[in-house]
Amino acid sequence: MIENNDRLVYEPLPTRPQVTWPDGKLVAVWHAPNVEHYDYIPPGGASPQGRVAAPDVQHYMHRAYGNRVGFWRMLRAIDTYAIPSTVSLSLTLLEDDPDIREAMRERDWEVMSHGISNLRPLYGLTREEEDDFFRQSQLLATTYYGGRMKGMLGPKISGTDNTCDLMVEHGFSYHADWIHDEQPRPLRTASGGRLISMPYSYMLNDVPLLHAKHYPSDYFVAMVRAQIDRLLRDAERDGQARVACIATHPFLSGQPHTIGAIERILDYVRGDDRLWVTRAGDIAEHYLAHHYDAQLAHATRAGEATR
């Protein structure tokens, strides 16, 4: 077994082999709507905020609003700007909410696992239990969405020392929990199977900004613009293409008072032809096909030279 702190292949970004995106694009931007399910009374009795023992009606219903109302308001904005999206999905919704499932399928959204339900984390699971979790996850995706998933953002961003190894065994190619870089990076696995970290964001994310800190929605817009503007400038300067993820949640970004900010963000993203607006799986496939081997080999040689 590989410990999590040994999985990362370290090398400073400036000394790596060059990463480029199709058609000379400088920054790959992927939108991750987190469409989540919260058990009314989950295993273990947890609640969405950990405020009280389940049922926590206040916070459960706040999140239920996202699937009943907020998702559909966000969908109109996403349609307006034709944004390809990678949904971070509580997979039980594929079976329980056919309206949401079919809306995503019609738009060819990529499904990325966000667990079965967002109150069923992976930490503490045995290897056998986690293996069963991944088996069930791919079965849900295959049965209700027509194909196996490529990536995962762990439920409640949780995992174990076995997670990366089991992801490879179950056909995954990217993991979004690792936010250590501005490019995809190789993750070591026990079998040697290929798995990469996909840059996600806890900063360009409506939960910490709009929910936890209660910043005005204009601040969210300003942060996204500042982040992407700087990434574009850096990529033009050093020739290293970057990744930016914009993470949203329908129960927040789909609110009447915040949807205008999402529209402004999507309008900004669509207004710069240096951006590759795409899905996480497309970024992963391009990186694996064109950059993974060279970056892994170079970083391995560099690491051996310093020992």
Side-chain angles (χ1 to χ4, degrees):
M1 182 175 68
I2 297 177
E3 299 292 337
N4 278 344
N5 60 349
D6 293 326
R7 293 195 182 276
L8 297 178
V9 178
Y10 175 76
E11 186 175 19
L13 191 150
T15 64
R16 300 171 193 165
Q18 186 183 34
V19 168
T20 60
W21 300 139
D23 302 318
K25 303 295 186 182
L26 298 179
V27 177
V29 177
W30 65 287
H31 174 225
N34 288 261
V35 181
E36 298 170 335
H37 174 268
Y38 286 80
D39 302 282
Y40 184 61
I41 301 181
S47 69
Q49 287 293 93
R51 182 177 67 101
V52 297
D56 182 352
V57 172
Q58 176 186 352
H59 291 98
Y60 176 86
M61 289 304 168
H62 185 202
R63 284 150 178 79
Y65 172 94
N67 296 341
R68 295 167 180 266
V69 181
F71 173 84
W72 306 99
R73 182 175 288 121
M74 275 187 60
L75 201 61
R76 290 194 294 273
I78 293 166
D79 285 349
T80 297
Y81 296 98
I83 302 296
S85 296
T86 301
V87 58
S88 174
L89 185 69
S90 295
L91 297 171
T92 189
L93 293 176
L94 289 174
E95 183 176 13
D96 294 347
D97 288 273
D99 290 337
I100 290 177
R101 180 188 69 221
E102 293 310 309
M104 296 187 301
R105 197 203 305 270
E106 288 171 9
R107 290 157 178 81
D108 197 27
W109 284 14
E110 177 189 1
V111 167
M112 172 178 72
S113 172
H114 198 28
I116 305 298
S117 173
N118 210 35
L119 291 178
R120 305 183 202 178
L122 301 183
Y123 43 71
L125 296 187
T126 66
R127 194 183 197 285
E128 292 72 23
E129 290 169 337
E130 193 172 1
D131 182 64
D132 188 58
F133 159 80
F134 283 114
R135 183 191 62 77
Q136 291 182 47
S137 298
Q138 290 289 28
L139 180 61
L140 282 167
T142 301
T143 301
Y144 292 102
Y145 210 70
R148 296 172 69 79
M149 296 173 292
K150 301 173 185 175
M152 182 180 77
L153 178 72
K156 297 187 75 66
I157 323 298
S158 60
T160 74
D161 286 343
N162 298 308
T163 298
C164 289
D165 299 330
L166 288 169
M167 287 181 70
V168 167
E169 291 181 19
H170 287 273
F172 291 86
S173 60
Y174 71 87
H175 195 191
D177 288 20
W178 308 72
I179 57 166
H180 63 294
D181 216 293
E182 292 175 357
Q183 295 178 336
R185 292 295 286 158
L187 291 169
R188 295 186 180 96
T189 62
S191 66
R194 302 204 309 173
L195 182 70
I196 64 172
S197 61
M198 176 61 60
Y200 182 69
S201 182
Y202 306 146
M203 304 297 290
L204 305 188
N205 189 315
D206 55 6
V207 165
L209 290 176
L210 305 181
H211 188 53
K213 298 294 185 181
H214 299 290
Y215 288 126
S217 56
D218 286 351
Y219 188 67
F220 189 17
V221 179
M223 281 191 65
V224 171
R225 292 179 63 103
Q227 175 96 346
I228 294 177
D229 286 348
R230 175 58 68 175
L231 291 179
L232 285 166
R233 196 177 312 165
D234 289 348
E236 286 179 333
R237 182 193 63 203
D238 61 24
Q240 288 283 10
R242 264 75 166 185
V243 174
C245 175
I246 302 168
T248 58
H249 296 71
F251 72 89
L252 291 172
S253 289
Q255 295 279 348
H257 62 282
T258 54
I259 192 62
I262 300 305
E263 291 169 342
R264 289 160 58 199
I265 287 170
L266 300 183
D267 180 66
Y268 161 75
V269 166
R270 274 302 186 201
D272 195 318
D273 61 9
R274 297 171 296 171
L275 302 178
W276 180 27
V277 184
T278 189
R279 303 175 303 179
D282 300 321
I283 299 170
E285 286 185 1
H286 180 88
Y287 179 84
L288 286 164
H290 299 281
H291 302 298
Y292 174 92
D293 291 335
Q295 288 217 327
L296 178 60
H298 194 272
T300 300
R301 288 193 300 269
E304 291 172 349
T306 60
R307 290 176 185 169

